Amino acid sequence: MTIKAILTEPNKILRQVSKLVEKVGKEEQKLMDDMIETMYKANGIGLAAIQIGVPKRIIVMDISKNEEKKNPMYFVNPIIKNKNSDLSRYEEGCLSVPDQFAEVDRPSSCEVEYLDYNGEKKILKTSGLLATCIQHEMDHLEGILFIDYLSKLKKSMIIKKLSKQKNKVDRIIV
Ligand code: GNR
Ligand code: NI
């Protein structure tokens, strides 16, 4: 397994729409292994392939709190169904929007249809943090970030901060 670099905003790659996976083969499983390792290393609870620069419709998640009882979840070609009209508000963060947090409203529960690690078709009913997280990850597959739901002012302040941070890092490296 390999830890990959996570792309951060502003980066046009994060705005790409990811492509359907035709078959869950060795290559896709290797990608999922790398994604889950990268996500654990970064202390995240979810990661979409595009965040490591791969435009495939693949998501990994683990919302378990206990370090010892890891519960990695893998979603290939996920589709969201039966979104609840009730909304839940969560303070969201994103590994591609480092150190920035904001409240976002999303359907409080939904169903997800997907292929698992072995390419088998599954349906999962989600609520709470799991529902919020899967919807956050589904957005990545469409090139959407949680900051897109904020006011223009809040969003532009965040992007400005991140651009400055990036310039700093570049200067250190150069
Ligand atoms: O680690 C993450 N935490 C989180 C918290 C609230 C709502 C969504 C998330 S997902 C995020 C990891 C990430 O950026 N996934 O794309
Ligand atoms: Ni994210």
Side-chain angles (χ1 to χ4, degrees), residues 43-48 51 90-96 129 132-133 136-137 140:
N43 290 318
I45 58 172
L47 191 76
Q51 293 180 274
Y90 267 93
E91 172 143 272
E92 297 197 14
C94 181
L95 296 173
S96 296
L129 181 59
T132 291
C133 192
H136 171 116
E137 303 310 335
H140 278 300

Side-chain angles (χ1 to χ4, degrees), residues 2-8 11-21 27-35 38 47-60 75-77 96 137 140-143:
T2 317
I3 291 166
K4 304 285 187 182
I6 296 174
L7 305 180
T8 59
N11 187 322
K12 285 211 175 93
I13 294 171
L14 290 170
R15 300 309 187 165
Q16 283 183 23
V17 176
S18 295
K19 295 205 170 67
L20 279 172
V21 173
E27 196 183 321
E28 286 72 27
Q29 290 176 334
K30 165 83 168 73
L31 173 62
M32 288 189 262
D33 294 342
D34 291 348
M35 285 170 65
T38 302
L47 191 76
I50 195 65
Q51 293 180 274
I52 57 167
V54 181
K56 290 187 181 181
R57 302 186 80 83
I58 298 181
I59 290 165
V60 299
F75 302 86
V76 179
N77 297 341
S96 296
E137 303 310 335
H140 278 300
L141 305 187
E142 302 301 326

